[in-house]
C-alpha cells in the first residue's frame, strides 16, 4: 500500500523555504486573482473620484487650468500606480505551502522584507473557511483559518481560491501526518 502522504504530493511544486528531510510539497496555495483585481479596481476608482473632485475644485478652466492642479493630478496618478504595483507584488510573492509535514506561510510585501511562519500538521487542531461578500461567493474565494495547539493566533490563508478544497487538502495532509507519527511511535514501542 502506497503511503498516503506520497499520494497527496504533486510534483513540480516549489516551497518558499528549504524542505526538511522526507518533506514533500502537496500543494502551493495562492490568493484568487479577483482578490488582486478588486484592490486595483478600488484604487483606480478612488483616483478617478479624486480627479473629479480636483476638476471641480480647479474652477472655470477645469483640471489643467492651473499648474498646481496639473501637478496634483500627475502625483496622484503616480501614487495610484505605485499602490497598484504594491498590490501586484504582494499578490505574486505571498503564498502558502501545504507539505506532508507542515503548513508554511510566506509573506513578502516588499523585496527587502519576508516573514515566514510554519505550523506542524500534527499540531493543527481546527480548520475553518470563511467566504464573505458577493464577489467572494461568485468567484469562490475566501479565508481559510487554521488554529494550532500552540497559544498563537494561528494562520489565516487570506483570499485563497477554492477555500473548501484547501481545507480538505489540509485535513487530509494532517490526518496522514498524524498516522505517520503514530506509526513511528508504535515502531519505537515495539523495539523498546
Amino acid at each position: 500500500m502506497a503511503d498516503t502522504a506520497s499520494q497527496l504530493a504533486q510534483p513540480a511544486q516549489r516551497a518558499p523555504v528549504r524542505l526538511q528531510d522526507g518533506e514533500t510539497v502537496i500543494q502551493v496555495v495562492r490568493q484568487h486573482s479577483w482578490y488582486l483585481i478588486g484592490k486595483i479596481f478600488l484604487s483606480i476608482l478612488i483616483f478617478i473620484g479624486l480627479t473629479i473632485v480636483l476638476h471641480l475644485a480647479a474652477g472655470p478652466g477645469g483640471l489643467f487650468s492651473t499648474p498646481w492642479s496639473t501637478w496634483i493630478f500627475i502625483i496622484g496618478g503616480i501614487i495610484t500606480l505605485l499602490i497598484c504595483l504594491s498590490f501586484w507584488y504582494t499578490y505574486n510573492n505571498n503564498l502558502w505551502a501545504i507539505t506532508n509535514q507542515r503548513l508554511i506561510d510566506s509573506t513578502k510585501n516588499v523585496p527587502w522584507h519576508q516573514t515566514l511562519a510554519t505550523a506542524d500538521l500534527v499540531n493543527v487542531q481546527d480548520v475553518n473557511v470563511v467566504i464573505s461578500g458577493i464577489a467572494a461567493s461568485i468567484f469562490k474565494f475566501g479565508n481559510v483559518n487554521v488554529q494550532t495547539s500552540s497559544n498563537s493566533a494561528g494562520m489565516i490563508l487570506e483570499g485563497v481560491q477554492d477555500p473548501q478544497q484547501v481545507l480538505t487538502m489540509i485535513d487530509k495532509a494532517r490526518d496522514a501526518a498524524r498516522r505517520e507519527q503514530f506509526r513511528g511511535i508504535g515502531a519505537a514501542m515495539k523495539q523498546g
Side-chain angles (χ1 to χ4, degrees):
M1 183 170 96
D3 183 43
T4 308
S6 63
Q7 289 174 347
L8 296 173
Q10 298 172 353
Q13 299 233 20
R14 191 161 175 253
V17 296
R18 182 175 298 142
L19 298 178
Q20 299 170 356
D21 290 338
E23 186 175 23
T24 57
V25 175
I26 297 169
Q27 181 177 3
V28 173
V29 180
R30 295 186 173 275
Q31 290 180 324
H32 193 280
S33 58
W34 181 257
Y35 200 72
L36 169 68
I37 293 167
K39 287 182 175 181
I40 289 176
F41 179 74
L42 183 62
S43 299
I44 292 171
L45 198 61
I46 290 170
F47 174 69
I48 291 170
L50 291 175
T51 302
I52 292 170
V53 169
L54 181 62
H55 177 70
L56 296 173
L63 180 62
F64 299 106
S65 63
T66 61
W68 65 267
S69 59
T70 303
W71 280 108
I72 291 174
F73 174 77
I74 291 170
I75 291 170
I78 291 170
I79 290 171
T80 302
L81 178 65
L82 291 174
I83 289 170
C84 291
L85 287 174
S86 170
F87 290 149
W88 175 82
Y89 184 85
T90 299
Y91 171 79
N92 280 318
N93 289 288
N94 291 353
L95 56 92
W96 301 271
I98 304 167
T99 73
N100 62 334
Q101 296 179 10
R102 58 191 170 150
L103 184 61
I104 303 167
D105 178 3
S106 173
T107 304
K108 190 172 185 180
N109 295 328
V110 291
W112 52 86
H113 182 77
Q114 181 176 18
T115 303
L116 291 170
T118 65
D120 287 336
L121 286 173
V122 294
N123 294 330
V124 171
Q125 289 186 335
D126 186 36
V127 184
N128 64 60
V129 169
V130 177
I131 300 173
S132 180
I134 296 170
S137 297
I138 292 171
F139 296 108
K140 298 191 184 336
F141 67 90
N143 297 347
V144 178
N145 302 316
V146 179
Q147 186 62 47
T148 63
S149 58
S150 69
N151 290 333
S152 69
M155 285 187 188
I156 299 174
L157 287 67
E158 187 177 3
V160 298
Q161 50 191 349
D162 198 2
Q164 287 96 350
Q165 183 272 336
V166 174
L167 179 139
T168 301
M169 188 59 65
I170 292 172
D171 280 342
K172 285 181 181 178
R174 175 189 59 195
D175 294 345
R178 286 181 178 167
R179 280 193 299 273
E180 189 65 31
Q181 181 185 33
F182 289 127
R183 252 188 241 129
I185 291 171
M189 289 176 68
K190 286 180 183 178
Q191 290 179 354

